[in-house]
Amino acid sequence: MEYLIRLVQIHETFRKPEIEALAQLANIDVEFIVYNEYSPFCIVRLASKDAARALVSRSILSKGIYELWGSGTDYDALHHEVQGRTSDRWTTYSTSSFKFVLDTYQGKRSATSQREIIESFDYLGFNGPIKLNDPKEEFCIFEDYVWGEKTAKEVHLGRLIARSDRDAVNTYSLKKRSYLSTTSMDSELALVTANLTLAAPGKIFYDPFVGTGSFPIACSHFGAMSLGSDIDGRSVRGARGKNIVGNYKQYGLLKRYLDGFISDLTHSPLRKGRFLDGIICDPPYGVREGLKVLGTRDGSGKEAVFVNGEAAHMHDKYIPPKKPYSFEAMLDDILDFAAISLVNDGRLSLWMPTANDEEIELGIPTHPCLEIVSVCVQAFNRWSRRLLTYRRLCDENVKELAIAKPKDSANGVRADDLNNFRKRYFEGFKAPSEDKLKSTTYMSDRPEQ
């Protein structure tokens, strides 16, 4: 049966991957019949109404799903199709309470015009009471306009099956959150990322760059148990009584929070083993300050310092020594960690910055144990950021052996030497010379985290 999904017209490259991810999560076969990034109306084929409800019930980038009663390039064509394909259903709803609404995209109708259109469907023979609030059945007339045109290019009629989980965007809005920072991911994209990573009850999700906890909270909203770590202990501990734990308490999700700890990905205390169902992260881009990992520049250790007889590194305010870190090495480390930590078919969702320059080949990091599932792009002015989602392959499906190799920390010790995106960001993203272009592999996106 055909259904119409009413999408939101924002983050267009994320919408179809989210629907595909939710279909996999619910073990639903979905066939896209009509999909266009420039339209919020998507038509799919599903096996049943239950499948339609399951598909959209936790979607963030849609508003609802409707049983499609008809489509046409004008109202005459729409009425003809509705009468031809749904006349056997009319008696089912003849005495039910109902209402009709009109949804126009890039167009508008006066109240009088809307009423005339709704009344043109009187042949359906609905005799039940009209209820504007909480009717048993809701029908929607969709109009799709070309911008600036006065006549819709396409019209549809659908019966509401289920609404989405888009209200969660407001529930978790950063404007209402107790503990946050300037780099906290907004609720909408955090929830979408959790969907793409297949967060669900019975799963364990981890964010190695946890910050104030936006991603783990989004995963726990969908039922997953979550934990996180950060190299900056101040983010994990919080300040003035506000911290990640407080955010979980604010949303009533504390029972789904496992813990938070101070660590970087190259010195993780987590046991080695494939026990994580998902890894979800927005690593720092190194713009405001260069990327760093725990350690010293020369690799030597430091003698323990004691304050009043207690080791300084045991104090809450202790800041461990750090050394410069290559952006490319960080991406490789994230993929390596995912390969050794994710269960079969577990997912990694990684935000990665990139420059908007058609003349530059943009490299997506790869790993033999990981398969790219989707690439979504959030464009800004002269740079963008991509959400890369990977799937952990079964070992028997890995085509080449993943052998640990030493990471190239890049030449130099300055932040610009170790992070090409940072350098190009402050250069205004001017096109590099041809020689430099050949050596470019990773470009980046947003100004730091």
Side-chain angles (χ1 to χ4, degrees), residues 148-323:
E149 297 292 331
K150 295 183 178 181
T151 303
K153 66 176 181 179
E154 196 164 24
V155 289
H156 313 273
L157 175 65
R159 183 179 72 88
L160 179 65
I161 299 298
R163 301 192 190 280
S164 71
D165 193 26
R166 188 158 178 78
D167 286 346
V169 175
N170 183 57
T171 300
Y172 295 94
S173 171
L174 296 183
K175 296 178 181 179
K176 307 174 184 177
R177 188 166 299 176
S178 172
Y179 176 56
L180 72 162
S181 70
T182 56
T183 57
S184 298
M185 179 65 73
D186 73 84
S187 61
E188 182 174 42
L189 288 176
L191 290 162
V192 171
T193 307
N195 268 340
L196 291 174
T197 323
L198 307 183
K203 294 185 176 184
I204 300 175
F205 273 63
Y206 171 56
D207 181 356
F209 307 94
V210 70
T212 59
S214 290
F215 285 131
I217 287 171
C219 294
S220 291
H221 166 72
F222 293 120
M225 302 297 292
S226 56
L227 70 158
S229 65
D230 203 291
I231 192 174
D232 187 348
R234 294 169 297 181
S235 294
V236 178
R237 290 189 293 263
R240 298 184 295 278
K242 296 182 178 181
N243 52 33
I244 298 174
V245 172
N247 283 344
Y248 273 83
K249 289 181 178 179
Q250 177 181 347
Y251 301 119
L253 298 172
L254 187 58
K255 64 181 180 181
R256 296 176 185 166
Y257 181 52
L258 295 175
D259 206 353
F261 54 94
I262 303 167
S263 168
D264 71 48
L265 202 60
T266 64
H267 298 82
S268 176
L270 295 176
R271 65 177 175 85
K272 293 187 182 298
R274 297 174 58 189
F275 68 98
L276 293 174
D277 297 286
I279 299 171
I280 181 171
C281 62
D282 183 22
Y285 304 159
V287 172
R288 289 189 303 180
E289 61 178 322
L291 296 172
K292 296 177 185 286
V293 289
L294 297 176
T296 57
R297 289 179 183 272
D298 59 6
S300 63
K302 286 194 172 185
E303 185 176 346
V305 176
F306 289 83
V307 178
N308 297 327
E310 183 180 2
H313 64 269
M314 299 298 293
H315 290 194
D316 285 343
K317 295 184 179 180
Y318 173 74
I319 300 177
K322 301 180 182 68
K323 63 181 179 180

Side-chain angles (χ1 to χ4, degrees), residues 59-112:
S59 170
I60 300 300
L61 296 180
S62 69
K63 294 182 177 181
I65 189 166
Y66 297 76
E67 181 183 75
L68 186 63
W69 278 35
S71 300
T73 55
D74 55 34
Y75 278 99
D76 287 339
L78 175 60
H79 289 310
H80 180 75
E81 181 161 322
V82 170
Q83 292 169 353
R85 67 187 288 183
T86 66
S87 58
D88 58 328
R89 308 177 203 172
W90 299 352
T91 56
T92 304
Y93 312 107
S94 61
T95 59
S96 300
S97 61
F98 71 97
K99 76 171 180 179
F100 272 74
V101 294
L102 197 67
D103 183 348
T104 63
Y105 174 65
Q106 297 190 143
K108 60 182 180 179
R109 292 272 187 180
S110 66
T112 300

